[in-house]
């Protein structure tokens, strides 16, 4: 009989102990953390898209061991978003901010420390290509001791490549070789090179100006690129349904937050025999 009483007392103590632990977690003191974010591109002479399709900001919150605790999404309007969080007082956090077009499927966000780009894309409207535009920022080692409000500026981790012709628009396949496919926001580095292909067919006629010359657009692509200038290879394949032409550009310079243009007489004008 004594043995049964002892067991019951032990069970009672365990139940009481578990209950106390839950109350401690619920009562953990939290404070308000607010980030005002703005997407900022390179405002030099190298033109950019207007980022009007960027409509979602995902914020990943990490602990001091770089383990993702949770993530939240916020609407982006005119390049800006307000982030409101409640976090544990006295704790240290890291943050990853990724602003993008939620309708696009260019990036795999399963891990916000290793953002991946797909290797094959089909573009039928120029807006489909613009859905590849994205911005990021990181905030490291923030210890939350009181309410915080901060401004966060996001920049593109991407290079933009435009392909234009002085001839007529034709269905085009752009293949970029030796291109990084994984971006690590916390370190700002890229790796895992592969060939990535964009297929452009049925896009409406559009022109752009480079160095004072107007070109008909054949391709528009956003590429993951390092902060320092690097080189990739590009292949432009055009077809009029009867004849296919392939033109190779073995050394093309790209850099994050910069635009690269490949342009010239890449196609003939409609009706020309030259």
């Amino acid at each position: 009989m004594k043995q049964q009483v002892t067991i019951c007392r032990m069970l009672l103590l365990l139940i009481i102990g578990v209950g106390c632990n839950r109350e401690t977690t619920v009562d953990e003191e939290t404070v308000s953390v607010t980030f005002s974010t703005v997407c900022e591109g390179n405002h030099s002479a190298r033109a950019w898209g207007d980022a009007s399709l960027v409509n979602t900001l995902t914020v990943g919150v990490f602990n001091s061991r770089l383990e993702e605790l949770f993530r939240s999404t916020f609407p982006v309007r005119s390049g800006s978003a307000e982030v409101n969080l409640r976090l544990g007082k006295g704790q240290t956090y890291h943050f990853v901010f990724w602003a993008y077009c939620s309708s696009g499927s260019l990036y795999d966000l399963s891990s916000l420390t290793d953002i991946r780009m797909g290797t094959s894309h089909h573009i039928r409207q120029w807006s489909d290509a613009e859905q590849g535009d994205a911005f990021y920022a990181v905030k490291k080692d923030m210890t939350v001791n009181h309410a915080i409000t901060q401004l966060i500026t996001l920049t593109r981790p991407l290079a933009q490549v435009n392909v234009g012709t002085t001839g007529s628009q034709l269905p085009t396949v752009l293949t970029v070789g030796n291109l990084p496919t994984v971006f690590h926001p916390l370190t700002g580095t890229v790796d895992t090179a592969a060939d990535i292909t964009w297929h452009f067919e049925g896009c409406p006629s559009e022109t752009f100006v480079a160095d004072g010359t107007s070109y008909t657009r054949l391709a528009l692509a956003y590429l993951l690129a390092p902060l320092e200038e690097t080189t990739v290879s590009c292949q432009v394949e055009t077809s009029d349904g009867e004849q296919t032409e392939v033109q190779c550009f073995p050394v093309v310079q790209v850099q994050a937050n910069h635009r690269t243009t490949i342009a010239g007489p890449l196609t003939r004008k409609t009706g020309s025999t030259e």
Side-chain angles (χ1 to χ4, degrees), residues 106-174:
L106 194 65
Y107 306 104
D108 178 358
L109 301 181
S110 300
S111 169
L112 288 177
T113 59
D114 306 290
I115 296 173
R116 299 176 182 275
M117 172 185 281
T119 57
S120 181
H121 310 282
H122 293 266
I123 309 298
R124 291 178 173 82
Q125 299 287 335
W126 295 118
S127 59
D128 295 342
E130 284 289 358
Q131 288 179 4
D133 201 2
F135 297 77
Y136 91 104
V138 297
K139 181 69 178 179
K140 299 180 182 179
D141 297 316
M142 174 185 279
T143 300
V144 180
N145 291 318
H146 50 76
I148 296 174
T149 299
Q150 284 196 4
L151 174 66
I152 301 293
T153 300
L154 287 74
T155 58
R156 285 181 174 97
L158 308 163
Q160 186 196 70
V161 172
N162 278 272
V163 181
T165 180
T166 53
S168 298
Q169 181 186 24
L170 293 175
T172 300
V173 177
L174 170 66

Side-chain angles (χ1 to χ4, degrees), residues 25-264:
T25 301
V26 171
D27 293 341
E28 181 182 12
E29 186 175 0
T30 62
V31 295
S32 173
V33 175
T34 301
F35 297 109
S36 296
T37 68
V38 59
C39 299
E40 182 178 84
N42 184 337
H43 299 294
S44 68
R46 297 183 177 185
W48 282 94
D50 59 8
S52 61
L53 298 183
V54 174
N55 59 12
T56 302
L57 173 67
T58 293
V59 181
V61 181
F62 298 78
N63 62 19
S64 58
R65 297 184 298 277
L66 298 182
E67 299 167 334
E68 184 175 335
L69 301 175
F70 66 91
R71 65 177 67 181
S72 298
T73 59
F74 304 87
V76 175
R77 298 183 178 91
S78 301
S80 300
E82 289 295 313
V83 176
N84 297 292
L85 304 170
R86 292 203 67 86
L87 300 174
K89 185 175 182 179
Q91 301 299 313
T92 298
Y93 300 95
H94 307 279
F95 304 87
V96 173
F97 302 81
W98 183 262
Y100 62 104
C101 176
S102 60
S103 300
S105 58
L106 194 65
Y107 306 104
D108 178 358
L109 301 181
S110 300
S111 169
L112 288 177
T113 59
D114 306 290
I115 296 173
R116 299 176 182 275
M117 172 185 281
T119 57
S120 181
H121 310 282
H122 293 266
I123 309 298
R124 291 178 173 82
Q125 299 287 335
W126 295 118
S127 59
D128 295 342
E130 284 289 358
Q131 288 179 4
D133 201 2
F135 297 77
Y136 91 104
V138 297
K139 181 69 178 179
K140 299 180 182 179
D141 297 316
M142 174 185 279
T143 300
V144 180
N145 291 318
H146 50 76
I148 296 174
T149 299
Q150 284 196 4
L151 174 66
I152 301 293
T153 300
L154 287 74
T155 58
R156 285 181 174 97
L158 308 163
Q160 186 196 70
V161 172
N162 278 272
V163 181
T165 180
T166 53
S168 298
Q169 181 186 24
L170 293 175
T172 300
V173 177
L174 170 66
T175 301
V176 182
N178 195 36
L179 184 66
T181 59
V182 181
F183 174 59
H184 308 285
L186 287 172
T187 58
T189 57
V190 292
D191 58 31
T192 315
D195 293 350
I196 299 183
T197 302
W198 286 262
H199 302 261
F200 299 86
E201 185 170 6
C203 294
S205 180
E206 181 175 284
T207 60
F208 67 93
V209 176
D211 295 330
T213 301
S214 179
Y215 297 97
T216 297
R217 192 186 304 279
L218 295 178
L220 165 64
Y222 287 95
L223 328 174
L224 289 174
L227 296 175
E228 302 297 327
E229 188 176 89
T230 189
T231 59
V232 296
S233 62
C234 291
Q235 176 181 289
V236 178
E237 177 183 313
T238 56
S239 175
D240 61 5
E242 297 181 357
Q243 183 177 358
T244 298
E245 292 190 29
V246 177
Q247 300 178 68
C248 298
F249 304 87
V251 180
V252 177
Q253 296 176 333
V254 295
Q255 183 179 355
N257 209 31
H258 286 71
R259 174 180 178 177
T260 296
T261 299
I262 300 172

